[in-house]
Amino acid sequence: MRVDPKAQRARVADIARAAKVSTATVDRVLHRRPGVRDATAQKVLKAAAELDYLPETGVYAALAAAPMRLGFLLPDGNNRFIRMLGDTLDYSQEQLAPFHVKCRSEQFESFNPQQLAARLLRLGERCDGVAFMALEHPVVREAVAQLAERGVPTITLISDLAGSRRAAYVGLDNRAAGRTAGYLVGRFIGAGTRAAKVALIAGSRSYSAHEEREAGFLHVIEEMFPALQVVGLREGHDDAQKNYVQTRTLLEQYPDLAGIYNIGGASDGVARALKETGRAHKVVFIGHGLTPDTRAMLIDGSMDAVITQSPQAAMMSCVRIFTNLREKRDAMLGVDPARTLVIFRENLP
């Protein structure tokens, strides 16, 4: 007896069972009605394809109609490395095409946790995932938790929010970066043979990255260069003019200052103060973020070394992590840890 092929056709209930969703959800997806998250819709459509409910071409067309929407939330201001990170999104659309994503970049007021939290929640309403540079504050932590409850994963970028419900962190091991800076300062000064004073300038301790870099720096100085005296840390809020003023104050207060470690951005303010006081090439200067400005400072010798990472690699790592989460894979599958790069004048890329 011949079986009618139509009798073997999968039903909506079969698709719902395979996709582990309700029949109402299956109905909404198959009829292109709103109210279903993209990840859930993809799961339903894949189940329908496996059960031969829809032609394969129809399934892939439906999947292609809904790219994953990703938001990148970065602080404003004149930190050029952060701006480079945002610009990377604009010129990487072709490279992102295979991931079937649509990325957007927005800014929040630097060092304003309340605004960051509000922007996170607002962006989470329009995106399937949000990557952001985290400020250490309870309201930011709560916003991340609320997004996690809604099923919107978040990734911390450059500076982490440890202990929160973020899905992953993309950035340097900042304690190791601080230790690297301390080692470079000590070796450049020759601290094994003479006593000297060194100072630190941070963007803000509101960023855990800056706290961790400071801690790593202090640990290696105490451990390896006990003759060095750290004369304090000042905050410049990643602002060139503030960093300039802080550096001028340090140089006036400590005429024998031998080294400066700029933990955050806007190193051009530090270099300007060193040049105006005739202390460039005399004070060891280590900073972060390879940009056109820091590149020029390495070339003219006002800066001795830059600790950096690739902004393009950071952005691509975020996209890969969100893609893994969408596909229900381990978040870090195929994602390489951020590489700490130390750039001198002689090895400029």
Side-chain angles (χ1 to χ4, degrees):
M1 178 177 176
R2 190 173 179 180
V3 178
D4 183 355
K6 292 183 179 179
Q8 302 300 314
R9 187 186 183 194
R11 300 170 301 166
V12 168
D14 299 323
I15 300 170
R17 187 161 43 251
K20 297 181 181 178
V21 298
S22 69
T23 55
T25 297
V26 173
D27 184 72
R28 281 197 293 272
V29 172
L30 296 181
H31 291 89
R32 306 283 186 93
R33 288 198 289 269
V36 182
R37 291 185 51 77
D38 288 345
T40 303
Q42 291 177 26
K43 191 162 57 172
V44 170
L45 290 167
K46 285 183 179 179
E50 290 168 0
L51 293 170
D52 293 327
Y53 189 89
L54 291 174
E56 186 175 342
T57 54
V59 173
Y60 287 116
L63 286 172
M68 183 165 52
R69 302 161 300 171
L70 303 179
F72 287 74
L73 190 53
L74 303 170
D76 62 10
N78 59 9
N79 186 319
R80 289 169 178 80
F81 184 80
I82 299 301
R83 278 193 279 173
M84 283 174 58
L85 188 61
D87 292 342
T88 299
L89 290 169
D90 297 332
Y91 62 73
S92 299
Q93 296 306 315
E94 184 176 341
Q95 188 177 357
L96 293 174
F99 294 93
H100 194 49
V101 298
K102 183 177 181 181
C103 298
R104 60 186 298 164
S105 175
E106 295 188 4
Q107 293 184 322
F108 67 93
E109 183 183 339
S110 295
F111 314 109
N112 186 332
Q114 286 78 18
Q115 187 184 98
L116 172 57
R119 296 294 295 275
L120 274 170
L121 294 174
R122 195 176 313 140
L123 198 55
E125 293 174 354
R126 306 192 301 272
C127 293
D128 304 301
V130 181
F132 70 106
M133 187 167 170
L135 286 166
E136 183 64 57
H137 197 280
V139 296
V140 179
R141 196 176 296 273
E142 180 62 21
V144 169
Q146 288 184 39
L147 290 179
E149 288 295 328
R150 295 183 200 168
V152 180
T154 56
I155 294 174
T156 50
L157 188 58
I158 309 297
S159 189
D160 197 10
L161 192 63
S164 69
R165 294 182 63 181
R166 53 89 169 138
Y169 164 65
V170 171
L172 298 179
D173 178 338
N174 285 297
R175 188 174 292 269
R179 288 183 63 88
T180 300
Y183 180 79
L184 291 171
V185 165
R187 294 292 290 175
F188 272 122
I189 291 174
T193 57
R194 69 184 179 98
K197 294 184 177 68
V198 297
L200 301 91
I201 296 176
S204 171
R205 286 191 173 104
S206 297
Y207 286 124
S208 65
H210 292 193
E211 277 193 324
E212 290 164 6
R213 291 173 188 175
E214 176 192 0
F217 182 90
L218 295 177
H219 285 169
V220 85
I221 294 297
E222 180 180 359
E223 174 187 331
M224 298 183 65
F225 307 106
L228 283 183
Q229 179 187 358
V230 180
V231 293
L233 179 141
R234 296 168 180 266
E235 293 188 351
H237 294 107
D238 288 349
D239 181 87
Q241 180 60 27
K242 290 180 181 177
N243 279 357
Y244 167 79
V245 172
Q246 295 286 29
T247 304
R248 289 295 300 252
T249 301
L250 283 167
L251 294 171
E252 291 168 8
Q253 189 173 359
Y254 305 103
D256 57 343
L257 190 70
I260 294 176
Y261 171 36
N262 182 28
I263 294 174
S267 286
D268 50 328
V270 179
R272 179 158 65 96
L274 291 173
K275 291 174 183 176
E276 286 185 2
T277 57
R279 302 295 298 280
H281 310 280
K282 298 176 182 178
V283 174
V284 173
F285 178 27
I286 310 295
H288 280 266
L290 185 62
T291 66
D293 284 348
T294 55
R295 185 184 186 90
M297 287 179 258
L298 286 172
I299 291 172
D300 70 22
S302 57
M303 200 169 190
D304 294 284
V306 171
I307 300 168
T308 193
Q309 61 184 304
S310 164
Q312 180 136 2
M315 183 271 295
M316 290 303 301
S317 291
C318 290
V319 172
R320 286 190 175 96
I321 291 169
F322 282 128
T323 301
N324 285 337
L325 294 171
R326 175 182 62 187
E327 301 299 329
K328 307 299 181 184
R329 297 189 294 254
D330 178 82
M332 303 307 294
L333 182 66
V335 179
D336 295 326
R339 293 179 56 202
T340 302
L341 306 174
V342 182
I343 307 298
F344 307 96
R345 182 175 64 177
E346 307 307 326
N347 71 340
L348 273 166

